[in-house]
Amino acid sequence: MPLLSIILPIYNVKNYLERCYESIILQNYDDFEILLVDDGSNDGSSDLCDLLSMKDSRVKVIHKENGGLSAARNEGLKYAQGEYIYWIDSDDWIVKNSLKIIVEKLKKNNPDILKFNYYRHINGCLEKHNSLKSGCYEKPSIVDNLLKSAVIDVSAFGFTAWSHIYKTSFLRENKLEFVSERIIGSEDFLFNFQAYMCANKIEVLDEPLYYYD
């Protein structure tokens, strides 16, 4: 069983998928599986997914009818074999050596959730988004500090799925899934709010490990 299940929801991202895929494959850590969840793409992404799976036995493809981002993430979770879940948006990419940093923290502190910071391109400039201090938070500090910060300024806090790693057993035991973005305006906020309420331990890293384009 791999330590990480990396799930990529895919819908018409043919021009970006290989960049994302290569940022994962070229890491200096390799105990992971990649689940490419093709959400009914019609731009050639489906064929590209199949091609990538032929190159590496760790890559598995799930083809499904279009249901949206949340449905694709949930579908990937059903098939994940790893101890931890990492949802990555397939038009973004991850920092070099980030998986090794993530895994070292997971093994050291065994959190239900690991949160990290990220880079974002704004007006042609690369900026680091950061609102939290590194550390390990446990109840009641999770509610008193983390959730309070998220409610005060969601954008600065970064309540996105792709800036978190989740323990698989934690998600399944608490029956945590994404509500469709076609029903609510911010599926990531609702999912993470529920997850934080259920978590006993959350590890926060100040380091930016993800590129949001």
Side-chain angles (χ1 to χ4, degrees), residues 74 77 167-179 191 194-195 198:
N74 292 337
L77 177 58
K167 185 182 291 184
T168 309
S169 59
F170 162 74
L171 295 178
R172 290 173 175 164
E173 287 168 5
N174 289 283
K175 297 180 172 57
L176 293 168
E177 290 189 338
F178 291 90
V179 175
F191 178 85
Q194 293 173 323
C198 294

Side-chain angles (χ1 to χ4, degrees), residues 41-57:
S41 298
N42 54 29
D43 71 336
S45 294
S46 298
D47 292 336
L48 180 55
C49 286
D50 292 334
L51 180 62
L52 294 176
S53 70
M54 293 171 60
K55 295 181 178 181
D56 195 313
S57 61

Side-chain angles (χ1 to χ4, degrees), residues 60-111:
K60 302 174 181 64
V61 182
I62 302 166
H63 295 290
K64 62 182 291 295
E65 293 184 3
N66 180 258
L69 175 61
S70 293
R73 286 175 174 168
N74 292 337
E75 191 72 9
L77 177 58
K78 291 180 185 177
Y79 292 92
Q81 298 295 313
E83 186 177 346
Y84 284 89
I85 301 294
Y86 187 3
W87 281 292
I88 299 177
D89 284 0
S90 49
D91 54 350
D92 299 329
W93 69 104
I94 61 176
V95 171
K96 183 180 180 181
N97 303 333
S98 61
L99 294 187
K100 185 175 181 180
I101 295 171
I102 287 168
V103 168
E104 287 175 353
K105 287 295 183 179
L106 293 177
K107 289 183 175 181
K108 180 179 180 180
N109 293 321
N110 191 33

Side-chain angles (χ1 to χ4, degrees), residues 4-5 8 13 17 43 55 75 88 104 108-109 113-114 124 126 136 138 150 153 164 170 186 203-204 211:
L4 292 174
S5 287
L8 274 63
V13 288
L17 178 54
D43 71 336
K55 295 181 178 181
E75 191 72 9
I88 299 177
E104 287 175 353
K108 180 179 180 180
N109 293 321
I113 302 172
L114 173 70
L126 190 64
C136 193
E138 300 184 26
D153 193 341
H164 294 77
F170 162 74
S186 179
E203 180 83 12
V204 174
Y211 289 103

